[in-house]
Amino acid sequence: MDNVQMFGTKITAIKEYLYNFARTHSPTRLMGSENTYSLSKEHCNLKYSDILPQNAEGFPATREFLMKVVDILIDYIKNQSDRSSKVLDFHHPGDMMRLLDLEIPDTGVSLQQLLVDCSTTLKYQVKTGHPHFFNQLSCGLDLVSMAGEWLTATANTNMFTYEIAPVFILMEHVVLHKMREIIGWPNGVGDSILAPGGSISNLYAFLAARHKMFPQYKERGLSAVGGQLVMFTSDQCHYSVKSCASVCGLGTDNCVMVPSDERGRMIPQRLEELIIERKAKGHIPFFVNATAGTTVIGAFDPIAEIADICKKYNCWLHVDAAWGGGLLLSRKYRHPRLTGIERADSVTWNPHKLMGALLQCSTIHFKDDGLLISCNQMSAEYLFMTDKLYDVKYDTGDKVIQCGRHNDIFKLWLQWRAKGNDGFEEHMNRLMELTEYMVQRIKQMSDKFYLILEPELVNCCFWYLPTRLRNMPHTAEREKLLGEICPILKGRMMEAGTLMVGYQPDDRRPNFFRNIISSAAVTEADIDFLLAEMDRLGHDL
Ligand code: ABU
């Protein structure tokens, strides 16, 4: 052992001594007044090599270690469900670095230290399942879906072949078929895949559309196209659509941003004009993206009207319903928002957003069966042999541009089993009703809040009005001042740790708040709390 190693071993020993001292003298250091995360005396000095799989005799210690990890997780869940607990314990990055021990040691730490590490990690994690977390499109913690994710982690398989994931592959078939039926494609025809996020799902749509129009592109590249491809999307779309143009060689200048109306919906007439304009230049319009639930405002583009234009000009219609897709499950709210979606060639729909499946769970669906494999297949012989024991159409790996694919299906399947279609419909309706409640409360408190527009989805966009600006006429000057308040009030929320609501500008207005209700934990009382807390933290600004 050289001097450096000896020094490292001594430091680890000192740390463990200090840890054990803290454990016996200061139980709260371990995040729990009962000090429940201490391993028994018999196991407290063990290391990873004393448990499975390294030590075949180590099951008792393995079990105790994992049960303690589960205790930590369950306490976290309990704590984040307690409305009097904080949403976050904010520290600036430099301070956070000092609070944590993130170093990778030369000599591994004990199992007991790993439990402290797990507990400390969660102590400083933002509690995205807290009922007062309204910050992102994905909020909340669906516990059945979480149980599914635990099982997924334990099964630790790859989704590229039926050979190593038979049950999960069949679950994908069943759930994705069901989703295509819900989209409205006859008998659920088509093909689908789970992708790592909505942006990549949109990219799959782009690739399939180009492949359909120029099947030679795969082998011959740009020369197969023989002209300038152009795609169209609204100026409110998710930025990943524009990113497709950059990644796939069109260039962002050839992703045409179609103006939207004052409610954030693409103006179909402008789409048609822009297609004609590009055709007149000799370009090849081939792809139109309609957004069903824009990220900031929650707007729905008029899909049926856009579908008519796509048909007229022979363009692929993709619907990015990553955010709004959940409303397909609600008879009350599906129409008119998603009317016409069955006319799309492809649809992105992210269950990890409105449906509350755990991150991440994003699906992309195609009306045309066979396109995904034809577009992406590379026939790697070490994985996708055609002479296997079983029907190799169940090997999904060659349909995608990635190789390894995470198992994102089990958590969704389990959640859907628990809720049934009825449960999901009730969940969607509840989220929309809570949003309606929030709008009603904002209108009742119009001295303190200014509603920017009536929501179509669960995005509620508004300004908070501090006392000094309450009697000012609502002009561009007041909007500018209200915009300046947003980051300050958000900073106060984070420092107080009691609430998280997002803000951003858009191309029509300066900063404004965007509140998202997508967590099953939220109640009317939480919305009342949110509004009261913003006023408490911001009235003097
Ligand atoms: N890709 C959309 C997620 C954005 C958000 O949570 O606000």
Side-chain angles (χ1 to χ4, degrees), residues 326-347:
L327 290 193
L328 289 166
L329 298 158
S330 162
R331 280 165 290 193
K332 183 171 174 193
Y333 293 99
R334 174 177 177 138
H335 298 288
R337 295 168 183 77
L338 290 141
T339 303
I341 194 168
E342 69 286 351
R343 295 177 63 190
D345 297 293
S346 55
V347 174

PDB file of all heavy atoms in Angstrom, residues 326-347:
ATOM      1  N   GLY A 326     -52.789  13.124 -23.014  1.00  0.00           N
ATOM      2  CA  GLY A 326     -53.559  12.513 -21.927  1.00  0.00           C
ATOM      3  C   GLY A 326     -55.055  12.772 -22.048  1.00  0.00           C
ATOM      4  O   GLY A 326     -55.884  11.929 -21.650  1.00  0.00           O
ATOM      5  N   LEU A 327     -55.411  13.921 -22.635  1.00  0.00           N
ATOM      6  CA  LEU A 327     -56.843  14.243 -22.735  1.00  0.00           C
ATOM      7  C   LEU A 327     -57.579  13.335 -23.719  1.00  0.00           C
ATOM      8  O   LEU A 327     -58.818  13.337 -23.755  1.00  0.00           O
ATOM      9  CB  LEU A 327     -57.038  15.712 -23.124  1.00  0.00           C
ATOM     10  CG  LEU A 327     -56.675  16.760 -22.065  1.00  0.00           C
ATOM     11  CD1 LEU A 327     -57.212  18.120 -22.470  1.00  0.00           C
ATOM     12  CD2 LEU A 327     -57.185  16.401 -20.676  1.00  0.00           C
ATOM     13  N   LEU A 328     -56.823  12.536 -24.497  1.00  0.00           N
ATOM     14  CA  LEU A 328     -57.494  11.538 -25.344  1.00  0.00           C
ATOM     15  C   LEU A 328     -58.306  10.578 -24.487  1.00  0.00           C
ATOM     16  O   LEU A 328     -59.244   9.941 -24.953  1.00  0.00           O
ATOM     17  CB  LEU A 328     -56.446  10.751 -26.141  1.00  0.00           C
ATOM     18  CG  LEU A 328     -55.739  11.518 -27.271  1.00  0.00           C
ATOM     19  CD1 LEU A 328     -54.502  10.762 -27.738  1.00  0.00           C
ATOM     20  CD2 LEU A 328     -56.696  11.749 -28.440  1.00  0.00           C
ATOM     21  N   LEU A 329     -57.947  10.478 -23.217  1.00  0.00           N
ATOM     22  CA  LEU A 329     -58.612   9.522 -22.319  1.00  0.00           C
ATOM     23  C   LEU A 329     -59.888  10.091 -21.705  1.00  0.00           C
ATOM     24  O   LEU A 329     -60.587   9.394 -20.972  1.00  0.00           O
ATOM     25  CB  LEU A 329     -57.636   9.123 -21.199  1.00  0.00           C
ATOM     26  CG  LEU A 329     -56.370   8.411 -21.704  1.00  0.00           C
ATOM     27  CD1 LEU A 329     -55.248   8.515 -20.691  1.00  0.00           C
ATOM     28  CD2 LEU A 329     -56.670   6.962 -22.017  1.00  0.00           C
ATOM     29  N   SER A 330     -60.164  11.364 -21.973  1.00  0.00           N
ATOM     30  CA  SER A 330     -61.342  11.994 -21.367  1.00  0.00           C
ATOM     31  C   SER A 330     -62.389  12.306 -22.424  1.00  0.00           C
ATOM     32  O   SER A 330     -62.144  13.115 -23.328  1.00  0.00           O
ATOM     33  CB  SER A 330     -60.914  13.299 -20.667  1.00  0.00           C
ATOM     34  OG  SER A 330     -62.046  14.114 -20.437  1.00  0.00           O
ATOM     35  N   ARG A 331     -63.566  11.692 -22.278  1.00  0.00           N
ATOM     36  CA  ARG A 331     -64.634  11.990 -23.239  1.00  0.00           C
ATOM     37  C   ARG A 331     -65.062  13.452 -23.130  1.00  0.00           C
ATOM     38  O   ARG A 331     -65.443  14.073 -24.102  1.00  0.00           O
ATOM     39  CB  ARG A 331     -65.838  11.072 -23.008  1.00  0.00           C
ATOM     40  CG  ARG A 331     -65.646   9.697 -23.609  1.00  0.00           C
ATOM     41  CD  ARG A 331     -66.625   8.696 -23.090  1.00  0.00           C
ATOM     42  NE  ARG A 331     -66.339   8.375 -21.701  1.00  0.00           N
ATOM     43  CZ  ARG A 331     -66.867   7.357 -21.032  1.00  0.00           C
ATOM     44  NH1 ARG A 331     -67.730   6.568 -21.622  1.00  0.00           N
ATOM     45  NH2 ARG A 331     -66.547   7.120 -19.774  1.00  0.00           N
ATOM     46  N   LYS A 332     -64.923  13.993 -21.923  1.00  0.00           N
ATOM     47  CA  LYS A 332     -65.378  15.371 -21.707  1.00  0.00           C
ATOM     48  C   LYS A 332     -64.430  16.400 -22.352  1.00  0.00           C
ATOM     49  O   LYS A 332     -64.876  17.418 -22.871  1.00  0.00           O
ATOM     50  CB  LYS A 332     -65.471  15.622 -20.200  1.00  0.00           C
ATOM     51  CG  LYS A 332     -65.998  16.994 -19.830  1.00  0.00           C
ATOM     52  CD  LYS A 332     -66.270  17.095 -18.341  1.00  0.00           C
ATOM     53  CE  LYS A 332     -66.661  18.510 -17.962  1.00  0.00           C
ATOM     54  NZ  LYS A 332     -66.641  18.710 -16.513  1.00  0.00           N
ATOM     55  N   TYR A 333     -63.139  16.149 -22.280  1.00  0.00           N
ATOM     56  CA  TYR A 333     -62.183  17.181 -22.704  1.00  0.00           C
ATOM     57  C   TYR A 333     -61.465  16.872 -24.028  1.00  0.00           C
ATOM     58  O   TYR A 333     -60.746  17.716 -24.545  1.00  0.00           O
ATOM     59  CB  TYR A 333     -61.155  17.430 -21.583  1.00  0.00           C
ATOM     60  CG  TYR A 333     -61.775  18.068 -20.358  1.00  0.00           C
ATOM     61  CD1 TYR A 333     -62.124  17.302 -19.247  1.00  0.00           C
ATOM     62  CD2 TYR A 333     -62.070  19.425 -20.327  1.00  0.00           C
ATOM     63  CE1 TYR A 333     -62.718  17.867 -18.129  1.00  0.00           C
ATOM     64  CE2 TYR A 333     -62.659  20.020 -19.216  1.00  0.00           C
ATOM     65  CZ  TYR A 333     -62.986  19.235 -18.118  1.00  0.00           C
ATOM     66  OH  TYR A 333     -63.579  19.818 -17.027  1.00  0.00           O
ATOM     67  N   ARG A 334     -61.650  15.659 -24.557  1.00  0.00           N
ATOM     68  CA  ARG A 334     -60.936  15.280 -25.794  1.00  0.00           C
ATOM     69  C   ARG A 334     -61.327  16.189 -26.966  1.00  0.00           C
ATOM     70  O   ARG A 334     -60.475  16.635 -27.736  1.00  0.00           O
ATOM     71  CB  ARG A 334     -61.258  13.816 -26.115  1.00  0.00           C
ATOM     72  CG  ARG A 334     -60.686  13.369 -27.435  1.00  0.00           C
ATOM     73  CD  ARG A 334     -60.941  11.884 -27.704  1.00  0.00           C
ATOM     74  NE  ARG A 334     -60.425  11.561 -29.028  1.00  0.00           N
ATOM     75  CZ  ARG A 334     -59.747  10.464 -29.342  1.00  0.00           C
ATOM     76  NH1 ARG A 334     -59.538   9.538 -28.447  1.00  0.00           N
ATOM     77  NH2 ARG A 334     -59.307  10.265 -30.571  1.00  0.00           N
ATOM     78  N   HIS A 335     -62.636  16.438 -27.058  1.00  0.00           N
ATOM     79  CA  HIS A 335     -63.115  17.269 -28.165  1.00  0.00           C
ATOM     80  C   HIS A 335     -63.481  18.641 -27.652  1.00  0.00           C
ATOM     81  O   HIS A 335     -64.001  18.754 -26.546  1.00  0.00           O
ATOM     82  CB  HIS A 335     -64.341  16.620 -28.814  1.00  0.00           C
ATOM     83  CG  HIS A 335     -64.021  15.275 -29.403  1.00  0.00           C
ATOM     84  ND1 HIS A 335     -63.264  15.115 -30.540  1.00  0.00           N
ATOM     85  CD2 HIS A 335     -64.356  14.021 -28.983  1.00  0.00           C
ATOM     86  CE1 HIS A 335     -63.145  13.826 -30.806  1.00  0.00           C
ATOM     87  NE2 HIS A 335     -63.789  13.130 -29.883  1.00  0.00           N
ATOM     88  N   PRO A 336     -63.217  19.687 -28.368  1.00  0.00           N
ATOM     89  CA  PRO A 336     -62.666  19.725 -29.724  1.00  0.00           C
ATOM     90  C   PRO A 336     -61.133  19.701 -29.777  1.00  0.00           C
ATOM     91  O   PRO A 336     -60.558  19.703 -30.857  1.00  0.00           O
ATOM     92  CB  PRO A 336     -63.166  21.073 -30.245  1.00  0.00           C
ATOM     93  CG  PRO A 336     -63.196  21.946 -29.019  1.00  0.00           C
ATOM     94  CD  PRO A 336     -63.585  21.041 -27.875  1.00  0.00           C
ATOM     95  N   ARG A 337     -60.488  19.658 -28.602  1.00  0.00           N
ATOM     96  CA  ARG A 337     -59.029  19.865 -28.587  1.00  0.00           C
ATOM     97  C   ARG A 337     -58.261  18.927 -29.518  1.00  0.00           C
ATOM     98  O   ARG A 337     -57.333  19.338 -30.188  1.00  0.00           O
ATOM     99  CB  ARG A 337     -58.507  19.698 -27.148  1.00  0.00           C
ATOM    100  CG  ARG A 337     -59.023  20.766 -26.199  1.00  0.00           C
ATOM    101  CD  ARG A 337     -58.712  20.384 -24.762  1.00  0.00           C
ATOM    102  NE  ARG A 337     -59.252  21.354 -23.828  1.00  0.00           N
ATOM    103  CZ  ARG A 337     -60.527  21.440 -23.479  1.00  0.00           C
ATOM    104  NH1 ARG A 337     -61.421  20.608 -23.991  1.00  0.00           N
ATOM    105  NH2 ARG A 337     -60.932  22.367 -22.625  1.00  0.00           N
ATOM    106  N   LEU A 338     -58.631  17.637 -29.463  1.00  0.00           N
ATOM    107  CA  LEU A 338     -57.852  16.651 -30.228  1.00  0.00           C
ATOM    108  C   LEU A 338     -58.629  16.092 -31.420  1.00  0.00           C
ATOM    109  O   LEU A 338     -58.233  15.089 -32.017  1.00  0.00           O
ATOM    110  CB  LEU A 338     -57.408  15.525 -29.288  1.00  0.00           C
ATOM    111  CG  LEU A 338     -56.343  15.999 -28.272  1.00  0.00           C
ATOM    112  CD1 LEU A 338     -56.574  15.382 -26.908  1.00  0.00           C
ATOM    113  CD2 LEU A 338     -54.952  15.698 -28.764  1.00  0.00           C
ATOM    114  N   THR A 339     -59.702  16.752 -31.766  1.00  0.00           N
ATOM    115  CA  THR A 339     -60.507  16.301 -32.902  1.00  0.00           C
ATOM    116  C   THR A 339     -59.638  16.279 -34.165  1.00  0.00           C
ATOM    117  O   THR A 339     -58.944  17.258 -34.440  1.00  0.00           O
ATOM    118  CB  THR A 339     -61.707  17.267 -33.104  1.00  0.00           C
ATOM    119  OG1 THR A 339     -62.434  17.309 -31.882  1.00  0.00           O
ATOM    120  CG2 THR A 339     -62.606  16.812 -34.248  1.00  0.00           C
ATOM    121  N   GLY A 340     -59.677  15.164 -34.859  1.00  0.00           N
ATOM    122  CA  GLY A 340     -58.902  15.060 -36.105  1.00  0.00           C
ATOM    123  C   GLY A 340     -57.564  14.353 -35.919  1.00  0.00           C
ATOM    124  O   GLY A 340     -56.864  14.084 -36.894  1.00  0.00           O
ATOM    125  N   ILE A 341     -57.219  14.015 -34.681  1.00  0.00           N
ATOM    126  CA  ILE A 341     -55.905  13.390 -34.450  1.00  0.00           C
ATOM    127  C   ILE A 341     -55.792  12.055 -35.190  1.00  0.00           C
ATOM    128  O   ILE A 341     -54.698  11.645 -35.594  1.00  0.00           O
ATOM    129  CB  ILE A 341     -55.609  13.229 -32.933  1.00  0.00           C
ATOM    130  CG1 ILE A 341     -54.123  12.897 -32.715  1.00  0.00           C
ATOM    131  CG2 ILE A 341     -56.520  12.200 -32.281  1.00  0.00           C
ATOM    132  CD1 ILE A 341     -53.661  13.004 -31.272  1.00  0.00           C
ATOM    133  N   GLU A 342     -56.945  11.412 -35.413  1.00  0.00           N
ATOM    134  CA  GLU A 342     -56.921  10.118 -36.121  1.00  0.00           C
ATOM    135  C   GLU A 342     -56.480  10.290 -37.575  1.00  0.00           C
ATOM    136  O   GLU A 342     -56.150   9.322 -38.241  1.00  0.00           O
ATOM    137  CB  GLU A 342     -58.307   9.444 -36.027  1.00  0.00           C
ATOM    138  CG  GLU A 342     -59.436  10.107 -36.800  1.00  0.00           C
ATOM    139  CD  GLU A 342     -59.947  11.408 -36.161  1.00  0.00           C
ATOM    140  OE1 GLU A 342     -59.549  11.727 -35.025  1.00  0.00           O
ATOM    141  OE2 GLU A 342     -60.754  12.110 -36.821  1.00  0.00           O
ATOM    142  N   ARG A 343     -56.418  11.513 -38.051  1.00  0.00           N
ATOM    143  CA  ARG A 343     -55.959  11.746 -39.430  1.00  0.00           C
ATOM    144  C   ARG A 343     -54.437  11.914 -39.513  1.00  0.00           C
ATOM    145  O   ARG A 343     -53.872  12.043 -40.601  1.00  0.00           O
ATOM    146  CB  ARG A 343     -56.664  12.984 -39.999  1.00  0.00           C
ATOM    147  CG  ARG A 343     -58.174  12.752 -40.130  1.00  0.00           C
ATOM    148  CD  ARG A 343     -58.879  13.984 -40.625  1.00  0.00           C
ATOM    149  NE  ARG A 343     -58.440  14.365 -41.975  1.00  0.00           N
ATOM    150  CZ  ARG A 343     -58.756  15.508 -42.549  1.00  0.00           C
ATOM    151  NH1 ARG A 343     -59.523  16.383 -41.910  1.00  0.00           N
ATOM    152  NH2 ARG A 343     -58.314  15.782 -43.775  1.00  0.00           N
ATOM    153  N   ALA A 344     -53.796  11.915 -38.354  1.00  0.00           N
ATOM    154  CA  ALA A 344     -52.334  12.103 -38.339  1.00  0.00           C
ATOM    155  C   ALA A 344     -51.621  10.869 -38.856  1.00  0.00           C
ATOM    156  O   ALA A 344     -52.118   9.743 -38.742  1.00  0.00           O
ATOM    157  CB  ALA A 344     -51.871  12.402 -36.918  1.00  0.00           C
ATOM    158  N   ASP A 345     -50.434  11.076 -39.412  1.00  0.00           N
ATOM    159  CA  ASP A 345     -49.570   9.955 -39.803  1.00  0.00           C
ATOM    160  C   ASP A 345     -48.763   9.471 -38.608  1.00  0.00           C
ATOM    161  O   ASP A 345     -48.357   8.312 -38.568  1.00  0.00           O
ATOM    162  CB  ASP A 345     -48.610  10.397 -40.915  1.00  0.00           C
ATOM    163  CG  ASP A 345     -49.357  10.786 -42.171  1.00  0.00           C
ATOM    164  OD1 ASP A 345     -49.954   9.898 -42.791  1.00  0.00           O
ATOM    165  OD2 ASP A 345     -49.382  11.994 -42.508  1.00  0.00           O
ATOM    166  N   SER A 346     -48.483  10.374 -37.671  1.00  0.00           N
ATOM    167  CA  SER A 346     -47.729   9.980 -36.478  1.00  0.00           C
ATOM    168  C   SER A 346     -48.147  10.865 -35.309  1.00  0.00           C
ATOM    169  O   SER A 346     -48.587  12.013 -35.495  1.00  0.00           O
ATOM    170  CB  SER A 346     -46.225  10.095 -36.723  1.00  0.00           C
ATOM    171  OG  SER A 346     -45.889  11.386 -37.166  1.00  0.00           O
ATOM    172  N   VAL A 347     -48.021  10.305 -34.122  1.00  0.00           N
ATOM    173  CA  VAL A 347     -48.433  11.020 -32.906  1.00  0.00           C
ATOM    174  C   VAL A 347     -47.414  10.757 -31.788  1.00  0.00           C
ATOM    175  O   VAL A 347     -47.096   9.597 -31.502  1.00  0.00           O
ATOM    176  CB  VAL A 347     -49.826  10.530 -32.421  1.00  0.00           C
ATOM    177  CG1 VAL A 347     -50.194  11.164 -31.071  1.00  0.00           C
ATOM    178  CG2 VAL A 347     -50.908  10.823 -33.447  1.00  0.00           C
TER     179      VAL A 347
END
